[in-house]
Amino acid sequence: MVLHRIGSMSSISVVIPTRGRHHFLKQAIASVLSQTWAPAEIIVVDDGVGAAQAVGHMHPAITVLDNRERGPVPARNMGVAHATGECICFLDDDDWFTDETYFEQVAAVFDHGGAFCYCNGVMAFEDGRPSLPFAFAADADSLTRDNTILISGVVYRRSLHEELGPFDESLPFYWDWDWYLRIARAGHALTHIQRPVVAIRVHARNMSGESLERQRRANLDEFSTKHGLPPIPLKNHLDIALDAPGKPPGA
């Protein structure tokens, strides 16, 4: 793995939180290692057990941290706190990059002074159904109604945390939406890379599944109150993709 420079940026740190999904995790890491523009490091934050044994020898750029089962948002804050790159990229352990040139595209964004960028993706069904595209714009106004940004593939300057603080651990389901809205309301542009570069695996163990609906509803109300918003309909990224015009018949 060769360290490249991204304009004024010195490096990218890829942070992958994980919990007991080692077979998925290996695919996620492999998709990072296949990038033509290589990151400086891959930080795996284990919120369970066994990740170090599963992936610790895949590549010397990989560091595995133990989150001691404190939860997914503390895991992300831990990954950011240990990152050495000037740029943070997130990838969930059950997702993977489908475009090997994605980080090259990211490089162009930061070469032109960008602070935050996000990409299109596809919803990849584990049961074999045809994938659905996920391609939506987002800005400070739209983010008061819907979260149309996929956390897997988001890249931003680590210095944003110095300005805005860490992720809000009181919002376990909507910490990412909260983060995007904080960035947008602070006046930073959200640059949209309009190409599908990441696959979002849809399966029964997703955190946004129906079994957690009551908890998600309560947490969404907390998010709305925090940002002074009216009640927001409960939905997830799959719901947004299914509601989009032009979805495949029978999806």
Side-chain angles (χ1 to χ4, degrees):
M1 179 177 286
V2 179
L3 174 62
H4 296 273
R5 295 189 64 84
I6 303 180
S8 62
M9 312 278 293
S10 63
S11 57
I12 301 175
S13 296
V14 180
V15 177
I16 306 178
T18 190
R19 182 182 174 90
R21 301 194 289 207
H22 302 153
H23 53 305
F24 291 163
L25 175 61
K26 290 179 180 179
Q27 182 181 9
I29 291 174
S31 75
V32 176
L33 294 174
S34 70
Q35 287 291 308
T36 55
W37 191 290
E41 59 185 355
I42 300 171
I43 300 175
V44 175
V45 187
D46 191 2
D47 197 44
V49 295
Q53 292 75 17
V55 304
H57 300 293
M58 285 183 68
H59 196 280
I62 299 171
T63 298
V64 181
L65 306 177
D66 184 358
N67 190 50
R68 300 185 182 278
E69 300 186 73
R70 295 184 301 123
V73 187
R76 294 176 190 275
N77 277 328
M78 173 180 278
V80 170
H82 281 77
T84 61
E86 292 180 52
C87 187
I88 300 292
C89 174
F90 275 112
L91 182 65
D92 282 354
D93 64 350
D94 53 348
D95 302 334
W96 68 96
F97 290 122
T98 58
D99 186 337
E100 295 180 352
T101 69
Y102 178 49
F103 287 173
E104 290 189 38
Q105 299 167 58
V106 168
V109 171
F110 289 100
D111 264 344
H112 291 86
F116 179 100
C117 67
Y118 64 102
C119 61
N120 293 344
V122 296
M123 311 300 287
F125 295 95
E126 197 174 45
D127 62 10
R129 281 178 287 167
S131 62
L132 281 176
F134 193 96
F136 301 91
D139 57 26
D141 179 60
S142 72
L143 286 168
T144 64
R145 299 182 297 273
D146 271 327
N147 176 14
T148 52
I149 298 178
L150 300 170
I151 185 58
S152 287
V154 157
V155 187
Y156 62 89
R157 293 183 186 270
R158 185 162 54 92
S159 60
L160 289 177
H161 286 289
E162 298 172 12
E163 176 186 349
L164 302 172
F167 303 128
D168 188 343
E169 296 182 5
S170 73
L171 297 172
F173 296 95
Y174 297 103
W175 65 273
D176 53 340
W177 193 349
D178 171 71
W179 179 238
Y180 310 147
L181 192 52
R182 287 157 62 190
I183 291 171
R185 285 181 164 177
H188 299 287
L190 309 179
T191 302
H192 185 190
I193 294 179
Q194 299 184 44
R195 292 178 60 177
V197 304
V198 67
I200 308 300
R201 193 187 307 269
V202 181
H203 54 86
R205 297 172 297 285
N206 286 92
M207 269 199 67
S208 56
E210 293 181 4
S211 63
L212 300 172
E213 184 170 338
R214 183 176 298 179
Q215 297 174 51
R216 290 174 55 223
R217 177 70 265 170
N219 208 225
L220 184 56
D221 290 342
E222 292 178 28
F223 165 84
S224 299
T225 299
K226 175 178 179 178
H227 290 283
L229 303 175
I232 299 173
L234 185 66
K235 62 182 72 174
N236 57 29
H237 284 135
L238 178 57
D239 295 327
I240 293 172
L242 287 170
D243 288 342
K247 66 179 181 296

